[in-house]
Each structure stands twice: as C-alpha cells, then as structure tokens.
Amino acid sequence: MPAFRPFLAAALAGGLTAVAGGAAQADVKQFEILAREMPALEGRVFGARGTAEKISARATIAVDPADPRNAIIVDLDKAPRNGDGKVEAVAEVTILRPAKPNGTMVLELPNRGRRLINTLLEETGAPESARLEKAGDAGRGFLLSQGYTVVWVGWQADVTPAQGLGIRVPTLPGLTGPSRDEWVVADGTGPIRQRLAYPVADPASLKLSVRARPEATRETPDDMAVRLVDDQTIEITRPARGYGPRGIYELVYTARDPTVMGLGFAALRDVASFLRRDVSEANPLAVDGRPGVSRAIGFGISQSGRVLRDFLYLGFNEDERGRIVFDGMMAEIPGARRSFTNVRFAQPGRNPGPGEDRGYPLDQFPFTYATTTDPASGRRDGLMLRCRLNNTCPKVMQVDSEYELWASRGSLLVTDPAGNHLDLPDDVRAYMISGAPHFADPRAPSGQNAACTMKTSPISAAPAVRALLVALDRWVSDGVTPPASRFPSHASATLAKPAALYPAIPGLDYSGQHVPADRIAYKDAKAEILGHYPLFMARVDNDGNALGGIRLPAVAAARATYTGWNLRPDRLELCAQIGTAIPFARTRAERLAAGDPRLSIEERYPSETSYVEAVTAAASELVAARLLLADEAKEMIEQARAGTLSRLPTP
C-alpha cells in the first residue's frame, strides 16, 4: 500500500493554476485548482440551470491531534506533523456546478475511487461516469437540472490512480502488527501471485490456510506452500486436492508501515465544511464574499454508503469548529454494515459477502441509528449516539435493495440485536426497493449471469432514489416532512424468518440461503465466531414479491416474481449482489401445466390496456407518496404501452 500516490500528474505538468489557501480555514490548509472547464460537458445545457462548470482540485487538510474531535482517528498521534504541529493529508476533489445552482451541495463519497452517483441516478455506464467530459457523460442530467452542486472527495488511501479519486495520507514507518489478506481462487495447477495489502515485516510470520467455504474449517495441506516474491507480493503453490471454483486462501502475517487511513474521514469532513462555509477566494464555490452553498448532503453507494454510516458513527459530522457538516445523508445499499477503515492496517475495500471477506469486523454492533443494547456484551450504542450529544445529527435516508436483507444484515436496521421490533428515530427514514438486487444497471434487461442459476432481476432503485433525493433536499432546506419509511418490519408483519418463505414457484430454486450475521471476536487479525444475531427477510405475497418496501410499477403491476437474491450453481451460497426474475406464465393453460400457483398474464391483464392501467395506478400512487417523480411516472407508463417496462426474458 503506497504512502503517497501521484495526483493528476499530467495536469500539474501542464502548469495549471493553483489557488493558495492562505485565507482559507485552518483545517483546509490549501485548496489548489488544477483544472477548470466552463462550460463543461461540451456546453450541454441543463434546462433553466444552464451550462455546468467542472473543477478538478486537490485539498490539503491539516488535522490537529490535540483536538478531541480528532482523537478517534487511529494512530493520528503517531503521524508526522508539520510546523504547526498538525498532520497533513491531500485529497483529490472534483466539482460539477450548474450556472444557476439551487444552494444544495451533494457530496458523494467515491466507491473505491469511482463515481457511482452518475451510474445510478444518471444511468450512465463506463467510461461516461468516470470521465465527465462529453455531453452524454451526464446521462439523464438529473442532478445538474435540479441545480445540485455535485462534489466528489477522495477519502480512500489505497486507491490507485487508475481507479479514480483518492487521498494521500502519512505512513508510519517501522510500525508492525498482524494483518490478514484473503483471496478467492479457483482450483488449478500453476502457482498464483497475489499482492498484499501491506509490506511483510517478518517473512517467518506467513501463515497460509485454505477452505472451500466461509463456514468450513481452515486447512493447511502439506503440498500447499507460500513464498515471498518481494516484501508485498507472495506466490502460492496450490494443493493437489481441490477446493472448488471458489477456494478461500487466507494469509495472516506480521505487516509493517500502516497508513493513517482514518484521515479519510477528516478529509470528507474538512473539505465539505470548507466548500459550504469558507468565503475566501480560495473556495471556488464562494460568491462575492458569501458562501455559495446553503445546505450539504452526504451521499454514498454500497461501500461508500457503509463509510458514510461510519462517518456518522465516529462523530465526523461535527467539524473542528463544532458545526454540522452534512445537513442530510443518503446511504444507498449499505445494509446494517460499516467499514474496515479506522483501524491499524485497515482495508476499506473489504466487503463481507456470501463467499468472501466474512472475517473482517466491519459489520459488528451497533447496526442501526437508534441506540440499542447488545445482549451479548451488554454494550449500549448507536450510529447517532455521538451526534446526539452535540446536536450535529443530520436528516438521514437509508435506501436498501431487497438483497441487503439477504446478504448485508438489512433487518438489523429495524430490529434490536435480539431481533425485536425497533422504531427508527424521527430524523431517520428507511426504504427497501422490493425485488431489487444490490445494484442493477438501470438500462439492462433480465438475463442469464454465468455465475448464477436463475435469470437476473432488472429492478433498479434509480427512480425511487431520484425522488427521495429531492424529498431529502426539501426536508433539510424547508423542513418538509419526507415520505414515511417503507421497510419491512415486525410492526407491519412484513418480516419473517427465511425458512419456507416462498410459495412453490416453478423454477425458483429456494431453500433459505442467506449470509448470517456473525458475532465475531477479532484479535491479531483473526476472527472467532462467537455466535449470530437474528436476521429476518421480507415477507412475500402470493406471487413471491416482497412486501413492506417500495414497489416500483414493474413490481406493483408485476409480470414476474422478482427477488433480490439468486443462487450460485452449487446452490450452497447466494450469487453475490444478483437478484432473480421468473416470469409469469402467459396463459392459464401454461400455468396449470407447469403447476404454477401464480396467476398468468392473461388472467391478470386481459388486455394490454388493462396492464397499462395497472402500471398507471401504481405509478400514480408512488407520485402521490413522493416516491416517484411525475415525469418519470409518465416514462414508465409509455414503457408499459411499448411493452418494455418489465425488461423480462421470454417465458
């Protein structure tokens, strides 16, 4: 893991203007403009908001180790300091601002360096989301047309330049300790090389094991070997005995030179606070000596949604002057998990899933925003415990897919650790998108994924998230009460144990597989499973579609069973992040011949008009509830008329 990484080297070599931060806030020591494009995106006009400006920059933060607000950053006290006794880090920043902004800054935490908000809300793919150069790179143009100033701040120090936006933070040379790496590798005959997260301090410390599944016992076959190629690369000789297509190789070793990874949280805090409040010429968003931003919303997707929950939990929504940083937060598909970031020898990219990374302690208590008690330890805690003490809690919306209940401990958002019903705080809303996998491409139809047994679910959360972002903005700006939570709960009798959940639907290969909520003890980079927290899944209707969540028109006026989960070919594990779609039979005769309990298409919708009417009714209900934007409802109705709304394979 490099201590420092190059930042836009080509731009710097070109001699682009750098704005010094002499008049800036002390926590942002310098804010350098590396490139400025106006108009950007080939001059595309975003309705009444006009054209957009793109700013590429880097921000140097200076963090005071003596400030109690920073004491939570692991190893900050061991980091080298500048002449003022502060610890510096340098974060990459990208800004997109319309000519006529609405006063709200939406700051997305990059996901492993990547901008995902455009992939989700603008429905763009690669390379559009990454480059932000062509007119089409803004996709639907939703964010800029709404008037949002969109900001990305690098926070992850082990991101490579090719991956996207990152941060450079101090390394602590000579400091050693236990670390652990894990890889999923298929059976084979040749040796394999793997890059370690950190350099090896003691070659004799390497301890390699292998197992076929996360629950299996770790083994050390005599013919398996590991050798050090260099201080951060190993070569593994695989054993002759096979461990299947997804053998889990785990290396525990004594590592050296950790980085102060927790400074990424401080960078998010300090850059966000600087951009919304600093009035000097150093701030490109300041206007005539006034703040150019009135409100700030933190936005994170998947990994960065988990980091956003960590940001809140660790107290970073209070800046070094005691002010609130984000007025609102939207955590998209994090489940009830956080991140492996603010620790020594951190690996923030780790993501416990159906078949890997399950031993990393990033999804442990507390799980939800309310303060609860862990019955195993007696500890009392919650994600908003710290911000309650200093009145810096944001308005929170969490949006999960149905997959998060199956693989990311999602039900622990609305239950206590003992599995009892839990009311969310008044300033928190939770929504589940029924039938949605972890992250569906909004443009892609249902199809066969080679890693899964069943056809994939095409249900995308994007339409609901766009509407909810507008509602969150109104909540923080005008105090308009947002849509009520739509998340399965015990109170609404829409949560159930996973066993015997579905009707006997032909082609639905189901036996209750899910990722358990392991309660682990983590010591010397090793995890010991001490027990499990109870988990629940969304109850389903007679068609197998989940209850309790937001049912987009494709699900509310269904032509298929949509689930947030799928299975791997061995049927022992979930297919990571993928959902399922099983179309209804076309006719009653086909249904009866197949023994399908679900009504056929002809029984539900005697004519195409009746189907369009059902979609129209579903869309209208969501618009009235502010869970779907009116213009998008019209799009969906037209798609229903054209037969393209469900994006299903031929039954």
Side-chain angles (χ1 to χ4, degrees), residues 62-304:
V63 178
D64 185 359
D67 190 322
R69 298 176 181 88
N70 299 321
I72 201 164
I73 301 174
V74 171
D75 289 331
L76 182 66
D77 58 332
K78 298 175 177 61
R81 306 184 186 189
N82 64 17
D84 296 326
K86 297 184 178 181
V87 179
E88 295 187 4
V90 184
E92 290 178 296
V93 180
T94 302
I95 300 171
L96 273 181
R97 177 174 60 172
K100 297 178 181 179
N102 67 3
T104 298
M105 175 176 72
V106 176
L107 189 152
E108 184 194 12
L109 287 60
N111 178 306
R112 297 171 179 84
R114 300 170 299 172
R115 305 179 185 96
L116 287 189
I117 195 170
N118 278 5
T119 305
L120 176 66
L121 298 187
E122 307 296 10
E123 302 183 9
T124 60
E128 294 89 354
S129 293
R131 69 188 179 196
L132 298 180
E133 295 172 1
K134 305 294 185 181
D137 295 350
R140 297 176 67 99
F142 165 76
L143 291 164
L144 293 171
S145 295
Q146 291 287 327
Y148 296 123
T149 297
V150 190
V151 177
W152 294 270
V153 178
W155 62 270
Q156 186 175 341
D158 57 357
V159 167
T160 67
Q163 289 173 309
L165 299 176
I167 186 173
R168 56 183 190 183
V169 301
T171 291
L172 307 177
L175 192 62
T176 65
S179 186
R180 170 175 165 264
D181 280 280
E182 180 182 299
W183 309 273
V184 175
V185 180
D187 289 342
T189 56
I192 53 174
R193 290 195 176 190
Q194 299 289 356
R195 182 77 171 168
L196 303 179
Y198 293 90
V200 174
D202 177 11
S205 69
L206 273 61
K207 291 181 174 57
L208 182 68
S209 65
V210 63
R211 62 195 191 279
R213 300 187 64 235
E215 296 83 2
T217 301
R218 291 169 174 80
E219 299 179 11
T220 55
D222 291 339
D223 59 342
M224 181 176 70
V226 58
R227 75 176 184 89
L228 204 60
V229 177
D230 57 44
D231 65 357
Q232 209 169 344
T233 307
I234 60 166
E235 185 175 88
I236 297 173
T237 300
R238 286 175 282 191
R241 175 198 161 185
Y243 284 83
R246 293 180 57 79
I248 302 171
Y249 288 79
E250 179 183 272
L251 184 75
V252 178
Y253 59 102
T254 301
R256 61 175 173 82
D257 305 346
T259 56
V260 188
M261 195 74 73
L263 276 169
F265 292 112
L268 293 167
R269 175 195 67 191
D270 295 346
V271 175
S273 189
F274 166 78
L275 289 173
R276 71 172 294 183
R277 290 194 170 95
D278 187 82
V279 298
S280 73
E281 292 183 357
N283 182 2
L285 300 186
V287 179
D288 298 328
R290 295 177 289 106
V293 170
S294 303
R295 303 163 296 277
I297 293 173
F299 195 102
I301 300 174
S302 191
Q303 178 221 25
S304 56

Side-chain angles (χ1 to χ4, degrees), residues 431 467-468 471 481-484 486 618-628:
Y431 309 94
L468 288 170
T481 302
R486 289 204 186 185
S620 298
E621 186 272 329
L622 291 174
V623 170
R626 291 185 292 141
L627 297 170
L628 185 66

